[in-house]
């Protein structure tokens, strides 16, 4: 339903992410990272299920992210650079979603590129990308942006499917 962008238009915002966050790859784990790493390392079905029933000791209810952390721990272990690479990958997906959302609006291509580029390197909340414990924000943004993107696609014969997927993504953003 939205205009198909040429791959080159998305390339600029995506290239800005590694350029903007290359220095974060050497940042060691900090503060809350150790708490989340311990939880991820010792996660089992019972402890992950418990996250969906009760808020954690930090008083936040973010159960889906604890499941993601447990999966990421299987890939990254205790290597900060891999965790940072995973965060950068999620941020890349968010930048792409911003671009496609803007392309779904009735604007020219360059505002979509400019908006996604600004989102890619905006310095207001860099800890979301550079700090492992702030991945909560990246994942909430991913599912929130996915919900909006799916909602923008929900016209025509497949609208029920897109509405349903949009609602599921929104629920995931809240978890």
């Amino acid at each position: 339903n939205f205009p198909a962008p040429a791959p080159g238009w998305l390339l600029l915002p995506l290239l800005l992410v590694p350029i903007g966050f290359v220095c974060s790859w050497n940042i060691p784990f900090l503060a809350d990272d150790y708490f989340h790493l311990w939880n991820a390392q010792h996660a089992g079905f019972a402890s992950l299920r418990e996250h969906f029933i009760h808020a954690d000791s930090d008083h936040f209810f973010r159960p889906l992210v604890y499941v993601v952390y447990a999966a990421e721990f299987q890939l990254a272990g205790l290597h900060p650079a891999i965790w940072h690479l995973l965060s950068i990958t999620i941020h890349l997906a968010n930048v792409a979603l911003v671009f496609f959302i803007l392309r779904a609006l009735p604007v020219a291509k360059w505002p979509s590129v400019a908006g996604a580029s600004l989102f890619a390197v905006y310095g207001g909340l860099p800890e979301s990308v550079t700090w492992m414990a702030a991945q909560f924000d990246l994942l909430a943004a991913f599912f929130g942006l996915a919900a909006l993107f799916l909602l923008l696609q929900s016209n025509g014969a497949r609208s029920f499917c897109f509405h349903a997927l949009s609602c599921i993504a929104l629920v995931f953003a809240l978890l």
Side-chain angles (χ1 to χ4, degrees), residues 38-109:
W38 189 91
N39 277 339
Q41 185 176 15
H42 297 92
F45 178 76
S47 65
L48 292 175
R49 182 180 52 110
E50 192 67 24
H51 286 299
F52 282 89
I53 299 170
H54 302 288
D56 205 47
S57 61
D58 60 3
H59 305 292
F60 289 107
F61 185 73
R62 306 179 279 205
L64 183 62
V65 180
Y66 288 112
V67 172
V68 171
Y69 278 171
E72 287 179 333
F73 188 84
Q74 300 304 310
L75 294 170
L78 296 171
H79 304 287
I82 299 172
W83 283 93
H84 293 309
L85 183 61
L86 292 169
S87 291
I88 288 170
T89 302
I90 298 168
H91 188 54
L92 284 167
N94 288 342
V95 169
L97 281 169
V98 166
F99 177 79
F100 289 125
I101 288 168
L102 293 173
R103 286 300 296 136
L105 301 176
V107 295
K109 289 179 185 171

Side-chain angles (χ1 to χ4, degrees), residues 1-165:
N1 130 12
F2 66 95
W9 286 99
L10 178 57
L11 199 55
L12 174 65
L14 292 179
L15 285 175
L16 290 175
V17 172
I19 292 169
F21 293 100
V22 68
C23 294
S24 73
W25 296 0
N26 293 327
I27 297 174
F29 292 125
L30 303 167
D32 292 352
D33 292 348
Y34 294 103
F35 171 76
H36 297 303
L37 284 167
W38 189 91
N39 277 339
Q41 185 176 15
H42 297 92
F45 178 76
S47 65
L48 292 175
R49 182 180 52 110
E50 192 67 24
H51 286 299
F52 282 89
I53 299 170
H54 302 288
D56 205 47
S57 61
D58 60 3
H59 305 292
F60 289 107
F61 185 73
R62 306 179 279 205
L64 183 62
V65 180
Y66 288 112
V67 172
V68 171
Y69 278 171
E72 287 179 333
F73 188 84
Q74 300 304 310
L75 294 170
L78 296 171
H79 304 287
I82 299 172
W83 283 93
H84 293 309
L85 183 61
L86 292 169
S87 291
I88 288 170
T89 302
I90 298 168
H91 188 54
L92 284 167
N94 288 342
V95 169
L97 281 169
V98 166
F99 177 79
F100 289 125
I101 288 168
L102 293 173
R103 286 300 296 136
L105 301 176
V107 295
K109 289 179 185 171
W110 72 265
S112 302
V113 173
S117 297
L118 181 61
F119 183 85
V121 294
Y122 176 67
L125 293 169
E127 66 272 11
S128 295
V129 181
T130 60
W131 185 24
M132 175 251 171
Q135 228 182 59
F136 295 105
D137 300 329
L138 286 175
L139 290 165
F142 173 78
F143 287 113
L145 290 167
L148 180 57
F149 174 74
L150 290 164
L151 186 64
L152 289 171
Q153 302 307 304
S154 66
N155 66 358
R158 300 181 304 180
S159 68
F160 174 78
C161 180
F162 281 108
H163 280 139
L165 290 172

